[in-house]
Short mmCIF file of all heavy atoms in Angstrom, two decimals:
data_model
loop_
_atom_site.label_atom_id
_atom_site.label_comp_id
_atom_site.label_asym_id
_atom_site.label_seq_id
_atom_site.Cartn_x
_atom_site.Cartn_y
_atom_site.Cartn_z
N ALA A 7 88.06 101.59 113.47
CA ALA A 7 88.88 102.50 114.23
C ALA A 7 89.45 103.56 113.30
O ALA A 7 89.58 103.33 112.10
CB ALA A 7 90.00 101.76 114.92
N TYR A 8 89.78 104.71 113.85
CA TYR A 8 90.38 105.77 113.05
C TYR A 8 91.35 106.56 113.91
O TYR A 8 91.36 106.47 115.13
CB TYR A 8 89.30 106.69 112.46
CG TYR A 8 88.61 107.56 113.48
CD1 TYR A 8 89.07 108.85 113.73
CD2 TYR A 8 87.51 107.10 114.19
CE1 TYR A 8 88.45 109.65 114.66
CE2 TYR A 8 86.88 107.90 115.12
CZ TYR A 8 87.35 109.17 115.35
OH TYR A 8 86.74 109.96 116.28
N LEU A 9 92.17 107.35 113.24
CA LEU A 9 93.12 108.23 113.90
C LEU A 9 92.87 109.64 113.37
O LEU A 9 92.81 109.84 112.16
CB LEU A 9 94.56 107.80 113.59
CG LEU A 9 95.66 108.75 114.07
CD1 LEU A 9 95.73 108.74 115.59
CD2 LEU A 9 96.98 108.35 113.48
N ALA A 10 92.72 110.60 114.27
CA ALA A 10 92.55 112.00 113.89
C ALA A 10 93.83 112.76 114.26
O ALA A 10 94.32 112.61 115.38
CB ALA A 10 91.35 112.61 114.61
N VAL A 11 94.35 113.54 113.32
CA VAL A 11 95.60 114.28 113.53
C VAL A 11 95.34 115.76 113.30
O VAL A 11 94.83 116.15 112.25
CB VAL A 11 96.70 113.78 112.56
CG1 VAL A 11 97.96 114.60 112.72
CG2 VAL A 11 96.97 112.31 112.76
N ARG A 12 95.70 116.57 114.27
CA ARG A 12 95.61 118.03 114.13
C ARG A 12 97.04 118.55 114.17
O ARG A 12 97.76 118.38 115.16
CB ARG A 12 94.80 118.64 115.26
CG ARG A 12 94.65 120.17 115.13
CD ARG A 12 93.87 120.77 116.27
NE ARG A 12 92.51 120.25 116.33
CZ ARG A 12 91.45 120.79 115.70
NH1 ARG A 12 91.63 121.85 114.95
NH2 ARG A 12 90.26 120.27 115.85
N LEU A 13 97.46 119.20 113.09
CA LEU A 13 98.82 119.70 112.98
C LEU A 13 98.94 121.08 113.62
O LEU A 13 98.02 121.89 113.55
CB LEU A 13 99.23 119.80 111.51
CG LEU A 13 99.28 118.48 110.74
CD1 LEU A 13 99.56 118.74 109.27
CD2 LEU A 13 100.32 117.55 111.33
N ARG A 14 100.10 121.31 114.25
CA ARG A 14 100.42 122.63 114.79
C ARG A 14 101.78 123.04 114.24
O ARG A 14 102.81 122.57 114.72
CB ARG A 14 100.45 122.59 116.32
CG ARG A 14 99.07 122.47 116.92
CD ARG A 14 99.09 122.70 118.38
NE ARG A 14 99.68 121.52 119.03
CZ ARG A 14 99.78 121.35 120.32
NH1 ARG A 14 99.35 122.29 121.13
NH2 ARG A 14 100.31 120.27 120.83
N GLY A 15 101.75 123.87 113.22
CA GLY A 15 102.98 124.30 112.58
C GLY A 15 103.62 125.47 113.30
O GLY A 15 103.06 126.04 114.23
N ALA A 16 104.78 125.85 112.80
CA ALA A 16 105.53 126.95 113.40
C ALA A 16 105.44 128.19 112.51
O ALA A 16 105.09 128.10 111.33
CB ALA A 16 106.99 126.55 113.57
N GLY A 17 105.75 129.34 113.08
CA GLY A 17 105.76 130.58 112.32
C GLY A 17 104.37 130.99 111.87
O GLY A 17 103.40 130.85 112.61
N ALA A 18 104.27 131.48 110.65
CA ALA A 18 103.00 131.97 110.12
C ALA A 18 102.06 130.83 109.71
O ALA A 18 100.86 131.03 109.57
CB ALA A 18 103.25 132.88 108.93
N ASN A 19 102.59 129.64 109.51
CA ASN A 19 101.79 128.50 109.06
C ASN A 19 101.40 127.62 110.26
O ASN A 19 101.81 126.48 110.39
CB ASN A 19 102.58 127.68 108.03
CG ASN A 19 101.74 126.64 107.35
OD1 ASN A 19 100.53 126.56 107.54
ND2 ASN A 19 102.39 125.82 106.54
N THR A 20 100.57 128.14 111.14
CA THR A 20 100.24 127.44 112.38
C THR A 20 99.37 126.20 112.15
O THR A 20 99.35 125.31 113.00
CB THR A 20 99.52 128.38 113.36
OG1 THR A 20 98.35 128.90 112.72
CG2 THR A 20 100.42 129.50 113.79
N ARG A 21 98.66 126.11 111.05
CA ARG A 21 97.83 124.93 110.77
C ARG A 21 98.55 123.89 109.92
O ARG A 21 97.97 122.88 109.57
CB ARG A 21 96.53 125.34 110.11
CG ARG A 21 95.64 126.10 111.05
CD ARG A 21 94.25 126.12 110.59
NE ARG A 21 93.42 126.78 111.58
CZ ARG A 21 92.13 126.91 111.46
NH1 ARG A 21 91.53 126.42 110.41
NH2 ARG A 21 91.44 127.51 112.38
N GLY A 22 99.79 124.16 109.56
CA GLY A 22 100.57 123.18 108.81
C GLY A 22 100.06 122.97 107.39
O GLY A 22 100.15 121.86 106.86
N ILE A 23 99.53 124.00 106.76
CA ILE A 23 98.99 123.86 105.41
C ILE A 23 100.11 123.47 104.45
O ILE A 23 101.18 124.06 104.45
CB ILE A 23 98.30 125.16 104.97
CG1 ILE A 23 97.08 125.40 105.86
CG2 ILE A 23 97.90 125.11 103.49
CD1 ILE A 23 96.39 126.70 105.66
N GLY A 24 99.86 122.45 103.66
CA GLY A 24 100.84 121.93 102.72
C GLY A 24 101.64 120.75 103.27
O GLY A 24 102.40 120.12 102.54
N ALA A 25 101.48 120.45 104.55
CA ALA A 25 102.19 119.32 105.15
C ALA A 25 101.54 118.01 104.70
O ALA A 25 100.34 117.95 104.41
CB ALA A 25 102.17 119.41 106.67
N ARG A 26 102.34 116.96 104.63
CA ARG A 26 101.85 115.63 104.29
C ARG A 26 102.07 114.71 105.48
O ARG A 26 103.09 114.78 106.15
CB ARG A 26 102.58 115.08 103.08
CG ARG A 26 102.31 115.87 101.84
CD ARG A 26 103.06 115.32 100.68
NE ARG A 26 102.78 116.14 99.51
CZ ARG A 26 103.54 116.18 98.46
NH1 ARG A 26 104.63 115.44 98.41
NH2 ARG A 26 103.23 116.94 97.45
N VAL A 27 101.10 113.85 105.73
CA VAL A 27 101.19 112.92 106.85
C VAL A 27 101.03 111.50 106.32
O VAL A 27 100.08 111.20 105.60
CB VAL A 27 100.10 113.22 107.91
CG1 VAL A 27 100.22 112.24 109.08
CG2 VAL A 27 100.22 114.65 108.40
N LEU A 28 101.99 110.64 106.67
CA LEU A 28 101.97 109.22 106.28
C LEU A 28 101.68 108.39 107.52
O LEU A 28 102.38 108.51 108.52
CB LEU A 28 103.33 108.79 105.72
CG LEU A 28 103.71 109.36 104.38
CD1 LEU A 28 105.21 109.45 104.25
CD2 LEU A 28 103.14 108.47 103.30
N ALA A 29 100.66 107.56 107.45
CA ALA A 29 100.32 106.66 108.55
C ALA A 29 100.41 105.23 108.05
O ALA A 29 99.80 104.88 107.03
CB ALA A 29 98.92 106.94 109.07
N THR A 30 101.19 104.40 108.72
CA THR A 30 101.33 102.99 108.38
C THR A 30 100.74 102.17 109.52
O THR A 30 101.03 102.42 110.68
CB THR A 30 102.81 102.62 108.18
OG1 THR A 30 103.35 103.47 107.16
CG2 THR A 30 102.96 101.17 107.75
N HIS A 31 99.89 101.21 109.15
CA HIS A 31 99.28 100.36 110.17
C HIS A 31 99.14 98.94 109.63
O HIS A 31 99.11 98.72 108.42
CB HIS A 31 97.91 100.92 110.60
CG HIS A 31 96.93 101.05 109.48
ND1 HIS A 31 96.11 100.04 109.08
CD2 HIS A 31 96.67 102.10 108.67
CE1 HIS A 31 95.36 100.46 108.07
NE2 HIS A 31 95.68 101.70 107.80
N PRO A 32 99.08 97.96 110.52
CA PRO A 32 98.93 96.57 110.08
C PRO A 32 97.58 96.36 109.43
O PRO A 32 96.59 96.97 109.82
CB PRO A 32 99.08 95.76 111.36
CG PRO A 32 98.92 96.71 112.48
CD PRO A 32 99.20 98.08 111.96
N ALA A 33 97.56 95.51 108.42
CA ALA A 33 96.31 95.17 107.73
C ALA A 33 96.24 93.66 107.57
O ALA A 33 97.14 92.93 107.99
CB ALA A 33 96.28 95.86 106.37
N ALA A 34 95.16 93.18 106.99
CA ALA A 34 94.97 91.73 106.83
C ALA A 34 96.10 91.10 106.02
O ALA A 34 96.52 89.99 106.30
CB ALA A 34 93.62 91.47 106.16
N ARG A 35 96.60 91.82 105.03
CA ARG A 35 97.70 91.29 104.19
C ARG A 35 98.88 92.25 104.24
O ARG A 35 99.07 93.07 103.35
CB ARG A 35 97.22 91.14 102.75
CG ARG A 35 96.14 90.12 102.61
CD ARG A 35 95.73 89.98 101.19
NE ARG A 35 94.66 88.99 101.10
CZ ARG A 35 94.01 88.72 100.01
NH1 ARG A 35 94.31 89.34 98.90
NH2 ARG A 35 93.06 87.82 100.00
N GLY A 36 99.66 92.18 105.28
CA GLY A 36 100.82 93.05 105.41
C GLY A 36 100.48 94.36 106.07
O GLY A 36 99.66 94.42 106.96
N ALA A 37 101.12 95.43 105.59
CA ALA A 37 100.90 96.77 106.16
C ALA A 37 100.27 97.67 105.11
O ALA A 37 100.48 97.51 103.92
CB ALA A 37 102.21 97.35 106.65
N THR A 38 99.52 98.65 105.58
CA THR A 38 98.89 99.64 104.71
C THR A 38 99.44 101.01 105.07
O THR A 38 99.56 101.34 106.25
CB THR A 38 97.36 99.63 104.91
OG1 THR A 38 96.86 98.35 104.56
CG2 THR A 38 96.69 100.69 104.06
N THR A 39 99.79 101.79 104.05
CA THR A 39 100.26 103.15 104.26
C THR A 39 99.29 104.12 103.60
O THR A 39 98.91 103.92 102.45
CB THR A 39 101.67 103.35 103.68
OG1 THR A 39 102.56 102.44 104.31
CG2 THR A 39 102.16 104.77 103.90
N GLN A 40 98.88 105.12 104.34
CA GLN A 40 97.98 106.16 103.83
C GLN A 40 98.71 107.49 103.85
O GLN A 40 99.45 107.78 104.78
CB GLN A 40 96.73 106.27 104.68
CG GLN A 40 95.89 105.02 104.70
CD GLN A 40 94.68 105.21 105.58
OE1 GLN A 40 93.96 106.19 105.46
NE2 GLN A 40 94.46 104.28 106.49
N LEU A 41 98.48 108.30 102.82
CA LEU A 41 99.06 109.64 102.73
C LEU A 41 97.93 110.65 102.64
O LEU A 41 97.03 110.51 101.81
CB LEU A 41 99.94 109.76 101.48
CG LEU A 41 100.41 111.17 101.11
CD1 LEU A 41 101.40 111.68 102.13
CD2 LEU A 41 101.01 111.17 99.72
N VAL A 42 97.96 111.66 103.52
CA VAL A 42 96.97 112.73 103.50
C VAL A 42 97.72 114.05 103.53
O VAL A 42 98.67 114.22 104.30
CB VAL A 42 96.01 112.64 104.72
CG1 VAL A 42 95.02 113.78 104.70
CG2 VAL A 42 95.28 111.32 104.72
N GLU A 43 97.30 114.98 102.67
CA GLU A 43 97.92 116.30 102.63
C GLU A 43 96.99 117.32 103.27
O GLU A 43 95.77 117.30 103.04
CB GLU A 43 98.21 116.71 101.18
CG GLU A 43 98.97 118.00 101.08
CD GLU A 43 99.45 118.29 99.68
OE1 GLU A 43 99.33 117.43 98.81
OE2 GLU A 43 99.95 119.41 99.46
N GLN A 44 97.56 118.20 104.07
CA GLN A 44 96.77 119.23 104.76
C GLN A 44 96.44 120.35 103.77
O GLN A 44 97.26 121.21 103.49
CB GLN A 44 97.55 119.76 105.96
CG GLN A 44 96.88 120.90 106.70
CD GLN A 44 95.62 120.50 107.40
OE1 GLN A 44 94.69 120.02 106.78
NE2 GLN A 44 95.57 120.69 108.69
N GLN A 45 95.26 120.31 103.19
CA GLN A 45 94.75 121.33 102.28
C GLN A 45 93.30 121.60 102.63
O GLN A 45 92.39 121.03 102.01
CB GLN A 45 94.87 120.88 100.81
CG GLN A 45 96.25 120.95 100.24
CD GLN A 45 96.82 122.35 100.21
OE1 GLN A 45 96.11 123.34 100.28
NE2 GLN A 45 98.13 122.43 100.12
N PRO A 46 93.03 122.43 103.64
CA PRO A 46 91.65 122.64 104.08
C PRO A 46 90.80 123.45 103.09
O PRO A 46 89.59 123.45 103.19
CB PRO A 46 91.80 123.38 105.40
CG PRO A 46 93.13 124.03 105.32
CD PRO A 46 93.99 123.14 104.47
N THR A 47 91.42 124.11 102.11
CA THR A 47 90.66 124.88 101.13
C THR A 47 90.34 123.98 99.94
O THR A 47 91.23 123.35 99.39
CB THR A 47 91.47 126.11 100.66
OG1 THR A 47 91.84 126.85 101.81
CG2 THR A 47 90.66 126.98 99.75
N ARG A 48 89.08 123.94 99.55
CA ARG A 48 88.65 123.07 98.47
C ARG A 48 88.22 123.82 97.22
O ARG A 48 88.04 123.23 96.19
CB ARG A 48 87.48 122.19 98.93
CG ARG A 48 87.83 121.28 100.06
CD ARG A 48 88.75 120.18 99.57
NE ARG A 48 88.90 119.18 100.61
CZ ARG A 48 90.06 118.81 101.10
NH1 ARG A 48 91.17 119.34 100.66
NH2 ARG A 48 90.13 117.90 102.05
N GLY A 49 88.04 125.09 97.31
CA GLY A 49 87.60 125.87 96.15
C GLY A 49 87.12 127.23 96.58
O GLY A 49 87.35 127.68 97.69
N PHE A 50 86.40 127.88 95.70
CA PHE A 50 85.90 129.21 95.97
C PHE A 50 84.92 129.17 97.14
O PHE A 50 83.90 128.49 97.08
CB PHE A 50 85.22 129.77 94.71
CG PHE A 50 84.62 131.12 94.92
CD1 PHE A 50 85.44 132.23 95.09
CD2 PHE A 50 83.27 131.30 94.96
CE1 PHE A 50 84.91 133.48 95.28
CE2 PHE A 50 82.71 132.56 95.15
CZ PHE A 50 83.54 133.65 95.31
N GLN A 51 85.24 129.87 98.21
CA GLN A 51 84.42 129.93 99.42
C GLN A 51 84.07 128.55 99.98
O GLN A 51 82.96 128.32 100.44
CB GLN A 51 83.16 130.73 99.16
CG GLN A 51 83.41 132.18 98.89
CD GLN A 51 82.12 132.97 98.73
OE1 GLN A 51 81.06 132.42 98.52
NE2 GLN A 51 82.24 134.28 98.86
N SER A 52 85.02 127.63 99.93
CA SER A 52 84.77 126.28 100.42
C SER A 52 85.99 125.79 101.20
O SER A 52 87.12 125.92 100.74
CB SER A 52 84.50 125.34 99.25
OG SER A 52 84.34 124.03 99.70
N SER A 53 85.74 125.24 102.37
CA SER A 53 86.83 124.68 103.16
C SER A 53 86.30 123.53 104.01
O SER A 53 85.09 123.35 104.14
CB SER A 53 87.48 125.74 104.05
OG SER A 53 86.56 126.21 105.00
N VAL A 54 87.23 122.76 104.56
CA VAL A 54 86.87 121.62 105.40
C VAL A 54 87.61 121.74 106.73
O VAL A 54 88.52 122.55 106.88
CB VAL A 54 87.19 120.28 104.72
CG1 VAL A 54 86.35 120.07 103.49
CG2 VAL A 54 88.66 120.18 104.38
N ASP A 55 87.25 120.90 107.66
CA ASP A 55 87.89 120.86 108.97
C ASP A 55 89.38 120.56 108.80
O ASP A 55 89.75 119.69 108.02
CB ASP A 55 87.22 119.76 109.80
CG ASP A 55 87.65 119.77 111.24
OD1 ASP A 55 88.01 120.84 111.75
OD2 ASP A 55 87.60 118.69 111.86
N PRO A 56 90.27 121.26 109.53
CA PRO A 56 91.71 121.04 109.37
C PRO A 56 92.23 119.77 110.05
O PRO A 56 93.43 119.54 110.07
CB PRO A 56 92.32 122.29 110.00
CG PRO A 56 91.33 122.74 111.00
CD PRO A 56 89.99 122.40 110.42
N VAL A 57 91.36 118.95 110.59
CA VAL A 57 91.79 117.70 111.23
C VAL A 57 91.88 116.61 110.16
O VAL A 57 90.95 116.41 109.39
CB VAL A 57 90.81 117.28 112.34
CG1 VAL A 57 91.21 115.96 112.95
CG2 VAL A 57 90.73 118.36 113.41
N LEU A 58 93.02 115.91 110.11
CA LEU A 58 93.23 114.83 109.15
C LEU A 58 92.75 113.52 109.75
O LEU A 58 93.02 113.23 110.92
CB LEU A 58 94.71 114.74 108.79
CG LEU A 58 95.36 116.03 108.30
CD1 LEU A 58 96.85 115.83 108.11
CD2 LEU A 58 94.71 116.50 107.03
N HIS A 59 92.05 112.71 108.96
CA HIS A 59 91.50 111.45 109.45
C HIS A 59 92.08 110.28 108.67
O HIS A 59 92.16 110.33 107.44
CB HIS A 59 89.97 111.43 109.32
CG HIS A 59 89.30 112.44 110.17
ND1 HIS A 59 88.96 112.19 111.47
CD2 HIS A 59 88.92 113.71 109.92
CE1 HIS A 59 88.39 113.26 111.99
NE2 HIS A 59 88.36 114.20 111.07
N PHE A 60 92.47 109.23 109.39
CA PHE A 60 92.98 108.00 108.80
C PHE A 60 92.11 106.85 109.27
O PHE A 60 91.97 106.62 110.47
CB PHE A 60 94.43 107.74 109.26
CG PHE A 60 95.40 108.78 108.80
CD1 PHE A 60 95.67 109.90 109.56
CD2 PHE A 60 96.05 108.63 107.58
CE1 PHE A 60 96.56 110.86 109.13
CE2 PHE A 60 96.95 109.58 107.14
CZ PHE A 60 97.21 110.70 107.91
N GLY A 61 91.53 106.12 108.33
CA GLY A 61 90.75 104.93 108.67
C GLY A 61 91.67 103.76 108.91
O GLY A 61 92.51 103.44 108.06
N LEU A 62 91.55 103.10 110.05
CA LEU A 62 92.45 102.01 110.42
C LEU A 62 91.82 100.63 110.28
O LEU A 62 92.49 99.63 110.51
CB LEU A 62 92.94 102.19 111.85
CG LEU A 62 93.66 103.51 112.16
CD1 LEU A 62 94.06 103.55 113.62
CD2 LEU A 62 94.85 103.70 111.26
N GLY A 63 90.55 100.56 109.95
CA GLY A 63 89.89 99.26 109.86
C GLY A 63 89.86 98.59 111.22
O GLY A 63 89.44 99.18 112.21
N THR A 64 90.38 97.38 111.29
CA THR A 64 90.40 96.65 112.55
C THR A 64 91.70 96.82 113.32
O THR A 64 91.85 96.27 114.40
CB THR A 64 90.15 95.15 112.31
OG1 THR A 64 91.18 94.66 111.43
CG2 THR A 64 88.78 94.91 111.69
N ALA A 65 92.66 97.56 112.75
CA ALA A 65 93.95 97.76 113.44
C ALA A 65 93.74 98.62 114.68
O ALA A 65 93.10 99.66 114.63
CB ALA A 65 94.94 98.44 112.50
N PRO A 66 94.28 98.20 115.83
CA PRO A 66 94.09 98.96 117.06
C PRO A 66 94.97 100.21 117.16
O PRO A 66 94.70 101.10 117.93
CB PRO A 66 94.44 97.97 118.16
CG PRO A 66 95.42 97.05 117.51
CD PRO A 66 95.00 96.95 116.06
N ARG A 67 96.04 100.27 116.35
CA ARG A 67 96.97 101.41 116.43
C ARG A 67 97.78 101.50 115.14
O ARG A 67 97.79 100.58 114.34
CB ARG A 67 97.91 101.27 117.62
CG ARG A 67 98.84 100.07 117.52
CD ARG A 67 99.72 99.88 118.75
NE ARG A 67 98.98 99.56 119.94
CZ ARG A 67 98.66 98.34 120.32
NH1 ARG A 67 98.98 97.32 119.58
NH2 ARG A 67 98.00 98.15 121.44
N VAL A 68 98.46 102.63 114.97
CA VAL A 68 99.35 102.80 113.82
C VAL A 68 100.74 102.32 114.18
O VAL A 68 101.16 102.39 115.34
CB VAL A 68 99.41 104.27 113.34
CG1 VAL A 68 98.08 104.72 112.80
CG2 VAL A 68 99.91 105.19 114.41
N ALA A 69 101.46 101.81 113.19
CA ALA A 69 102.84 101.37 113.41
C ALA A 69 103.80 102.56 113.33
O ALA A 69 104.77 102.64 114.07
CB ALA A 69 103.22 100.32 112.39
N SER A 70 103.51 103.51 112.42
CA SER A 70 104.34 104.71 112.33
C SER A 70 103.52 105.86 111.78
O SER A 70 102.57 105.67 111.03
CB SER A 70 105.57 104.47 111.44
OG SER A 70 105.18 104.34 110.09
N LEU A 71 103.91 107.05 112.17
CA LEU A 71 103.27 108.28 111.72
C LEU A 71 104.38 109.27 111.39
O LEU A 71 105.20 109.59 112.25
CB LEU A 71 102.36 108.85 112.82
CG LEU A 71 101.49 110.02 112.43
CD1 LEU A 71 100.39 109.56 111.47
CD2 LEU A 71 100.86 110.64 113.65
N VAL A 72 104.44 109.73 110.14
CA VAL A 72 105.49 110.64 109.69
C VAL A 72 104.84 111.90 109.15
O VAL A 72 103.92 111.81 108.33
CB VAL A 72 106.36 109.98 108.59
CG1 VAL A 72 107.41 110.94 108.08
CG2 VAL A 72 107.01 108.71 109.10
N VAL A 73 105.33 113.06 109.59
CA VAL A 73 104.85 114.34 109.07
C VAL A 73 105.97 114.93 108.22
O VAL A 73 107.11 115.06 108.67
CB VAL A 73 104.49 115.32 110.21
CG1 VAL A 73 104.04 116.65 109.63
CG2 VAL A 73 103.43 114.72 111.10
N ILE A 74 105.64 115.29 106.97
CA ILE A 74 106.57 115.97 106.08
C ILE A 74 106.07 117.40 105.94
O ILE A 74 105.03 117.64 105.31
CB ILE A 74 106.65 115.28 104.71
CG1 ILE A 74 107.01 113.80 104.88
CG2 ILE A 74 107.68 115.99 103.82
CD1 ILE A 74 106.85 112.98 103.63
N TRP A 75 106.77 118.33 106.55
CA TRP A 75 106.36 119.73 106.56
C TRP A 75 106.63 120.37 105.21
O TRP A 75 107.45 119.86 104.44
CB TRP A 75 107.07 120.48 107.68
CG TRP A 75 106.69 119.96 109.03
CD1 TRP A 75 107.39 119.08 109.80
CD2 TRP A 75 105.48 120.26 109.75
NE1 TRP A 75 106.69 118.82 110.96
CE2 TRP A 75 105.53 119.52 110.95
CE3 TRP A 75 104.39 121.07 109.49
CZ2 TRP A 75 104.51 119.59 111.90
CZ3 TRP A 75 103.37 121.14 110.44
CH2 TRP A 75 103.44 120.40 111.62
N PRO A 76 105.98 121.50 104.89
CA PRO A 76 106.18 122.15 103.60
C PRO A 76 107.64 122.52 103.29
O PRO A 76 108.03 122.57 102.13
CB PRO A 76 105.31 123.41 103.69
CG PRO A 76 104.27 123.08 104.68
CD PRO A 76 104.93 122.17 105.67
N ASP A 77 108.44 122.75 104.33
CA ASP A 77 109.87 123.07 104.10
C ASP A 77 110.72 121.80 104.02
O ASP A 77 111.94 121.87 104.10
CB ASP A 77 110.39 124.02 105.18
CG ASP A 77 110.36 123.40 106.57
OD1 ASP A 77 109.94 122.23 106.72
OD2 ASP A 77 110.73 124.11 107.53
N ARG A 78 110.08 120.63 103.89
CA ARG A 78 110.69 119.30 103.70
C ARG A 78 111.32 118.71 104.96
O ARG A 78 111.99 117.69 104.91
CB ARG A 78 111.69 119.32 102.56
CG ARG A 78 111.06 119.78 101.27
CD ARG A 78 111.82 119.31 100.08
NE ARG A 78 111.27 119.94 98.90
CZ ARG A 78 110.54 119.29 98.01
NH1 ARG A 78 110.29 118.03 98.18
NH2 ARG A 78 110.09 119.92 96.95
N ARG A 79 111.12 119.35 106.13
CA ARG A 79 111.53 118.72 107.38
C ARG A 79 110.62 117.55 107.65
O ARG A 79 109.45 117.57 107.29
CB ARG A 79 111.46 119.70 108.55
CG ARG A 79 112.50 120.76 108.57
CD ARG A 79 112.39 121.67 109.79
NE ARG A 79 111.08 122.31 109.83
CZ ARG A 79 110.19 122.16 110.82
NH1 ARG A 79 110.45 121.41 111.86
NH2 ARG A 79 109.02 122.77 110.77
N MET A 80 111.14 116.54 108.32
CA MET A 80 110.33 115.36 108.66
C MET A 80 110.32 115.15 110.16
O MET A 80 111.31 115.39 110.84
CB MET A 80 110.90 114.11 107.97
CG MET A 80 110.78 114.14 106.47
SD MET A 80 111.52 112.72 105.69
CE MET A 80 110.41 111.44 106.21
N GLN A 81 109.16 114.72 110.66
CA GLN A 81 109.02 114.37 112.08
C GLN A 81 108.39 113.02 112.16
O GLN A 81 107.50 112.69 111.39
CB GLN A 81 108.12 115.37 112.80
CG GLN A 81 108.82 116.59 113.27
CD GLN A 81 107.88 117.46 114.09
OE1 GLN A 81 106.76 117.72 113.66
NE2 GLN A 81 108.30 117.89 115.25
#
């Protein structure tokens, strides 16, 4: 299973570039937390899809999802 997250930022940063997303989900031994940063640019003339992906293994859902925006606000 996986979770796909598409960020919608405010103002000029509508894709949420620079935001960090923390996903916590149950795992075989306790809980697992994954951190992904929204950086769709990878180099000179190179970019990737702006959708963030979290692999959940056998977990059916996430326990918590936290977005830390570039201005340090949290949701």
Side-chain angles (χ1 to χ4, degrees):
Y8 70 94
L9 172 68
V11 176
R12 182 181 299 270
L13 297 174
R14 288 191 286 184
N19 190 6
T20 57
R21 291 198 176 182
I23 295 173
R26 295 179 181 160
V27 180
L28 290 152
T30 303
H31 59 87
R35 295 181 181 174
T38 299
T39 300
Q40 298 180 49
L41 169 69
V42 178
E43 186 171 352
Q44 176 67 302
Q45 284 298 341
T47 305
R48 298 288 190 237
F50 178 70
Q51 293 184 343
S52 176
S53 65
V54 295
D55 189 28
V57 177
L58 306 175
H59 295 274
F60 296 90
L62 303 179
T64 59
R67 64 183 65 88
V68 294
S70 70
L71 188 70
V72 177
V73 179
I74 304 168
W75 295 99
D77 63 0
R78 303 202 188 253
R79 288 182 301 119
M80 293 177 69
Q81 275 185 312

